[in-house]
Amino acid sequence: HTKYNVCLIYYPPDLTIALFMRILGTRVVYSERVDATDIAINEYYQKCLKLCDCILANSKYAKEKLERLTGRKVGLIRNGKPVVTQLPIKKEREICRMLVPARIVPPKNQMLLLYYLKEYPDFTGKLIFAGLEEDKTYWNKLKQFVRRNNLWSQVEFLGHVDNLEKEYEKADLIVLPSIAEGTPNVVLEAYAYGRPVIVSDVGEERNLVKNPRLRFGVKNPEEIDSCIKYVEGLSDNLYRELIERNRKIVIENYSIEKMCNSFYKVLSRW
């Protein structure tokens, strides 16, 4: 019984209501949050997407993919993150504690890091997984791998953590091994807190982490080792420059205010 002016859709399965919204006279805005792969492989989602009045994406990678799929102009609204206080810069370069802040699901590709621990026993540090065990089957698979390969002394599963600041403070390196990503908030958070990041060489992660020596293939644990050694080998000046440059990226391009203003401009058209 309520008349809505605009329906904002975030996830591809919800695109199926676009036709009904249009029949009701409601404008439809779709905002892609990941890398548009789900739409690219589903013709029905693509048909529903064409019914939308406006299409948005939170990364250049997804924007370009959606423009190729639809032949339409797609708006770019970057994610917004609160500006947190930068943590003290680590004085030592040795990587002893790697933090992986992501929910436990196959697309986040946590298994790759366990393969790294198995294949590179010279790394004697700890791997900390912080995130909701959303896919129990995958979580059990990870735990079984740890058990079979006697890795419990090096692995911790923290589950969901309400406030990750303490974990960022303890971490020497943040790792995001995802198979697919939109604009990864994990990278933005790590940048803002002042921690170095290495990521998988996919999608928008290439735009956020431009140095190829800080990226690794989604099936290549040996490249993870190269990334770690690169960070450990940075001089104090180069390390400080990396941390300061990363934080500047977040402050200048990913503020909450800028994101909200962009959404307001789109949603107040009608």
Side-chain angles (χ1 to χ4, degrees):
H1 301 290
T2 303
K3 170 65 176 175
Y4 291 98
N5 300 100
V6 183
C7 174
L8 178 61
I9 296 174
Y10 282 119
Y11 302 105
D14 296 332
L15 282 168
T16 55
I17 70 169
L19 175 61
F20 302 103
M21 291 294 101
R22 292 295 299 271
I23 291 172
L24 293 170
T26 301
R27 302 277 185 170
V28 182
V29 176
Y30 176 70
S31 183
E32 172 69 28
R33 310 312 296 163
V34 286
D35 69 347
T37 295
D38 286 347
I39 294 177
I41 62 175
N42 190 309
E43 290 186 7
Y44 182 64
Y45 288 166
Q46 292 171 35
K47 290 178 181 178
C48 294
L49 184 63
K50 291 176 181 178
L51 295 171
C52 295
D53 296 276
C54 178
I55 305 172
L56 305 171
N58 75 345
S59 71
K60 286 178 63 179
Y61 180 82
K63 166 184 161 68
E64 291 166 0
K65 183 183 285 188
L66 288 173
E67 286 180 337
R68 290 194 298 270
L69 280 172
T70 63
R72 291 171 55 182
K73 184 176 180 180
V74 174
L76 174 64
I77 298 181
R78 300 184 189 278
N79 286 0
K81 297 298 296 179
V83 179
V84 297
T85 302
Q86 183 175 324
L87 297 169
I89 292 180
K90 293 277 186 175
K91 294 181 180 179
E92 299 295 329
R93 288 293 82 78
E94 184 181 3
I95 306 300
C96 297
R97 189 177 178 91
M98 296 194 296
L99 176 64
V100 190
R103 57 201 171 92
I104 306 295
V105 291
K108 296 299 182 183
N109 199 27
Q110 287 96 343
M111 183 62 79
L112 179 69
L113 298 175
L114 297 183
Y115 277 117
Y116 167 72
L117 288 186
K118 177 188 174 185
E119 295 179 21
Y120 289 85
D122 288 345
F123 177 78
T124 56
K126 297 203 74 170
L127 188 60
I128 312 299
F129 295 106
L132 182 68
E133 297 92 0
E134 193 170 297
D135 187 313
K136 299 299 182 184
T137 301
Y138 187 60
W139 183 41
N140 286 329
K141 186 177 178 182
L142 296 175
K143 290 192 295 182
Q144 288 169 10
F145 186 94
V146 172
R147 191 178 301 113
R148 283 198 310 270
N149 294 282
N150 298 313
L151 297 173
W152 279 120
S153 63
Q154 290 182 269
V155 177
E156 285 185 35
F157 292 97
L158 301 182
H160 174 71
V161 179
D162 286 325
N163 187 349
L164 276 169
E165 182 175 349
K166 289 183 179 179
E167 293 304 323
Y168 278 112
E169 186 171 9
K170 291 186 285 186
D172 302 305
L173 183 67
I174 311 304
V175 189
L176 190 62
S178 305
I179 294 171
E181 283 284 350
T183 295
N185 284 324
V186 164
V187 174
L188 301 181
E189 286 176 352
Y191 278 6
Y193 277 120
R195 289 295 176 263
V197 181
I198 63 173
V199 299
S200 48
D201 191 18
V202 298
E204 186 64 14
E205 293 186 329
R206 296 188 191 109
N207 292 323
L208 266 180
V209 184
K210 295 187 181 298
N211 187 339
R213 300 188 70 177
L214 296 173
R215 303 196 304 262
F216 52 86
V218 294
K219 296 181 180 179
N220 302 100
E222 71 277 5
E223 293 180 7
I224 295 174
D225 194 61
S226 298
C227 291
I228 291 172
K229 286 182 168 56
Y230 174 75
V231 175
E232 289 181 328
L234 290 172
S235 67
D236 288 347
N237 286 340
L238 288 176
Y239 184 83
R240 183 174 293 276
E241 285 177 13
L242 173 70
I243 297 303
E244 290 175 351
R245 183 170 62 249
N246 289 347
R247 182 172 167 84
K248 186 177 179 182
I249 288 171
V250 178
I251 292 172
E252 292 184 353
N253 299 290
Y254 295 91
S255 71
I256 291 285
E257 182 181 15
K258 186 172 288 189
M259 180 190 71
C260 290
N261 286 339
S262 297
F263 268 113
Y264 180 76
K265 287 178 182 177
V266 172
L267 299 178
S268 62
R269 290 177 186 171
W270 304 292

